[in-house]
Amino acid sequence: QVQLVESGGGLVQPGGSLRLSCVASGSIFGFNTMGWYRQAPGKERELVATMTSGGTTTLADSVKGRFGISRDNAKKTVFLQMDSLTAEDTARYYCHLHNNGRRYWGQGTQVTVSS
């Protein structure tokens, strides 16, 4: 059974930075996509960034130029570097894995941007 565990969330001031990590465990076969979604109160869950095992990335327009995604395939880990954070980035961030026709979710880590 695949499990995803996020870490790195917390409280940060506007303009600050955070780096989120997600470690996957279990069997992951061949090609896969890992990434991040977020959900704020009263809003739909939205894609933030993804990266395939082949290196193809996607970024939401709202975070382009501020966020970056990277992977360490040997450690089955994906990172989200978040810079220039604003209050609109406040949300619970969820790690996501798509592999072998199945999708998996972590429990999420809270990011709060506030003065």
Side-chain angles (χ1 to χ4, degrees), residues 26-98:
S27 297
I28 301 175
F29 301 94
F31 181 84
N32 64 85
T33 301
M34 296 186 71
W36 298 91
Y37 290 69
R38 67 186 182 186
Q39 187 167 27
K43 295 185 177 180
E44 299 283 341
R45 186 173 297 188
E46 64 177 352
L47 183 146
V48 178
T50 67
M51 190 172 188
T52 71
S53 51
T56 301
T57 63
T58 63
L59 287 171
D61 289 341
S62 60
V63 306
K64 287 181 179 177
R66 300 187 299 119
F67 291 11
I69 188 168
S70 60
R71 293 179 57 144
D72 184 338
N73 289 333
K75 297 182 178 180
K76 299 181 180 179
T77 302
V78 63
F79 304 94
L80 184 68
Q81 179 66 45
M82 305 185 294
D83 298 324
S84 302
L85 286 161
T86 75
E88 293 187 348
D89 297 314
T90 295
R92 192 165 184 87
Y93 285 70
Y94 296 89
C95 184
H96 176 263
L97 168 67
H98 183 201

